[in-house]
Amino acid sequence: QLNNLHEGPLLNLLIRRFKSDDIYTNVGGVLISVNPYKFIPNLYTLGTTGTHGKDAQVDDTPHVYGIAQQALEAMLDPYTSGVKNQSIVISGESGAGK
């Protein structure tokens, strides 16, 4: 958990997670992804997909599937009047694998 959101602590957190092959980090409602420049086994397997499915238990593990699931659930929320539009912004350098 990151309580002090300044450049230094954020970079330190990203470096520590990168070294342990945790390339996704949640900062509020933003998912930060760091290119690992290598193959990470089981990063996009069906087991990983299942942890973010509709009937899955709450999983705080940062992952691109989690962001997509949150957007889908917010869009189809039965307690709002009608469908709510959602936007996902994907940015990064050219060739970064977006």
Side-chain angles (χ1 to χ4, degrees):
Q1 183 167 348
L2 186 63
N3 295 324
N4 188 4
L5 188 57
H6 295 289
E7 184 177 354
L10 179 58
L11 287 175
N12 184 30
L13 175 66
L14 293 173
I15 289 168
R16 283 186 289 129
R17 292 183 59 78
F18 176 82
K19 288 180 178 179
S20 64
D21 289 339
D22 293 324
I23 64 167
Y24 295 115
T25 304
N26 283 329
V27 179
V30 176
L31 178 70
I32 298 174
S33 175
V34 179
N35 189 339
Y37 296 104
K38 66 179 182 180
F39 176 75
I40 298 177
N42 301 319
L43 187 60
Y44 302 108
T45 63
L46 289 177
T48 303
T49 307
T51 63
H52 297 283
K54 179 182 176 201
D55 298 325
Q57 295 177 350
V58 175
D59 186 354
D60 290 334
T61 305
H63 200 282
V64 69
Y65 293 154
I67 293 294
Q69 185 66 35
Q70 288 174 6
L72 178 64
E73 288 173 2
M75 186 174 70
L76 302 176
D77 187 354
Y79 299 107
T80 61
S81 56
V83 175
K84 292 174 62 177
N85 293 330
Q86 297 291 307
S87 296
I88 297 177
V89 177
I90 301 172
S91 67
E93 294 182 15
S94 176
K98 296 173 290 304

